């Protein structure tokens, strides 16, 4: 979808209070380190380095925001949260970031949807399941939720069908999509779903005809995301 290709860096922050207020739908991408989050974002937006990995995995812990909208007008925002679960990060750093992420997920006012990236060869881990439990109250209140099973090209069709069935049982009301950046599998489906989340009143109208509204925020120097 052309709408996703309009993504541009907006701002970065290490703490929630440094994030600007956003008055348009915000969709967060979360997942374990090396789950393919940066690759997924870059594939959806057709930009090779919009989201990129830190050379020191687990060390950079910032939330990066990307604006979406045609003609430079923002009608939605993507939030790229650093990957979690990297073993070489100190316990104090892990605890600090986990608290920031939990606070973001439960209290960010404009949060409309969550995209959880998962390597289907590993399945949902304990950390992923803990995140699902944190999200459950907001999902029950209407928060959109999608599990993207990345690196689908590494599985056979029968393996894909099996992991899809298992993950749908674990998704707790969320949707599940297979995704391959290499084979472009699931790219259009995920992009269309994110547009629908951001434009619920226009979901039946082609994205090219969707309206836009501005979000007050100025771009700031960006920070790397954790390895994905």
């Amino acid at each position: 979808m052309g709408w996703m290709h309009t993504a541009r860096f907006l701002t970065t922050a290490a703490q929630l209070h440094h994030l600007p207020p956003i008055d348009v739908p915000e969709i967060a991408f979360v997942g374990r380190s090396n789950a393919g989050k940066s690759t997924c974002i870059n594939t959806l937006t057709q930009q090779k380095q919009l989201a990129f990995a830190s050379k020191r995995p687990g060390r950079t812990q910032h939330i990066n925001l990307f604006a979406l909208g045609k003609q430079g007008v923002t009608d939605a925002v993507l939030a790229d949260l650093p990957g979690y679960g990297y073993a070489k990060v100190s316990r104090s750093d892990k605890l600090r970031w986990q608290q920031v992420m939990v606070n973001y997920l439960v209290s960010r006012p404009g949060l409309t949807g969550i995209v959880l990236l998962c390597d289907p060869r590993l399945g949902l881990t304990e950390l992923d399941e803990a995140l699902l439990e944190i999200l459950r109250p907001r999902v029950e209140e209407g928060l959109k939720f999608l599990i993207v099973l990345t690196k689908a090209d590494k599985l056979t069709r029968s393996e894909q069908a099996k992991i899809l069935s298992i993950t749908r049982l674990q998704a707790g009301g969320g949707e599940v999509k297979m995704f391959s950046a290499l084979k472009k599998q699931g790219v259009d489906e995920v992009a269309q779903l994110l547009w629908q989340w951001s434009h619920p009143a226009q979901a039946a109208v082609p994205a090219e005809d969707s309206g836009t509204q501005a979000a007050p925020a100025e771009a700031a120097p960006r920070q790397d995301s954790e390895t994905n």
Side-chain angles (χ1 to χ4, degrees):
M1 286 184 61
W3 176 72
M4 289 293 298
H5 306 163
T6 66
R8 54 205 178 271
F9 178 72
L10 182 61
T11 192
T12 188
Q15 299 290 341
L16 293 187
H17 63 273
H18 293 152
L19 288 174
I22 300 294
D23 61 1
V24 294
E26 188 167 321
I27 299 171
F29 282 69
V30 300
R32 283 180 57 86
S33 302
N34 301 318
K37 180 163 55 65
S38 294
T39 300
C40 180
I41 293 173
N42 291 338
T43 301
L44 288 168
T45 60
Q46 285 196 0
Q47 299 185 45
K48 293 183 178 180
Q49 293 186 328
L50 183 69
F52 55 93
S54 170
K55 293 180 180 179
R56 297 188 302 162
R59 299 312 245 177
T60 303
Q61 299 178 337
H62 287 72
I63 298 172
N64 288 326
L65 300 185
F66 306 111
L68 289 168
K70 295 188 174 183
Q71 299 179 336
V73 179
T74 300
D75 61 4
V77 167
L78 300 183
D80 181 14
L81 277 63
Y84 51 83
Y86 194 76
K88 293 186 179 180
V89 178
S90 70
R91 178 175 175 79
S92 60
D93 284 345
K94 282 183 182 179
L95 293 175
R96 183 189 66 80
W97 172 247
Q98 286 172 6
Q99 190 59 55
V100 171
M101 187 168 70
V102 168
N103 290 343
Y104 171 89
L105 294 173
V106 302
S107 66
R108 183 68 171 161
L111 188 61
T112 298
I114 297 286
V115 179
L116 171 62
L117 286 297
C118 175
D119 186 332
R121 296 168 299 176
L122 302 176
L124 294 179
T125 66
E126 289 185 10
L127 288 173
D128 296 324
E129 291 175 353
L131 183 141
L132 292 180
E133 284 301 312
I134 292 170
L135 290 176
R136 192 177 304 279
R138 293 200 72 172
V139 171
E140 291 174 351
E141 294 172 357
L143 181 73
K144 305 298 184 182
F145 180 61
L146 168 67
I147 297 177
V148 171
L149 298 170
T150 60
K151 309 176 186 180
D153 52 279
K154 299 184 182 296
L155 302 176
T156 65
R157 287 184 179 274
S158 61
E159 288 172 335
Q160 289 187 28
K162 181 178 180 180
I163 191 64
L164 268 174
S165 178
I166 293 172
T167 309
R168 282 169 177 156
L169 293 175
Q170 300 172 309
E175 299 192 51
V176 184
K177 301 287 186 184
M178 276 288 175
F179 189 94
S180 169
L182 181 64
K183 301 292 187 180
K184 299 299 184 286
Q185 179 181 350
V187 175
D188 290 342
E189 289 180 321
V190 173
Q192 181 67 36
L193 184 60
L194 299 189
W195 185 86
Q196 291 172 356
W197 287 1
S198 303
H199 306 81
Q202 305 170 46
V205 180
E208 290 77 7
D209 299 330
S210 64
T212 57
Q213 55 181 322
E218 296 182 357
R222 66 184 294 167
Q223 296 287 339
D224 297 354
S225 293
E226 186 174 346
T227 294
N228 300 291

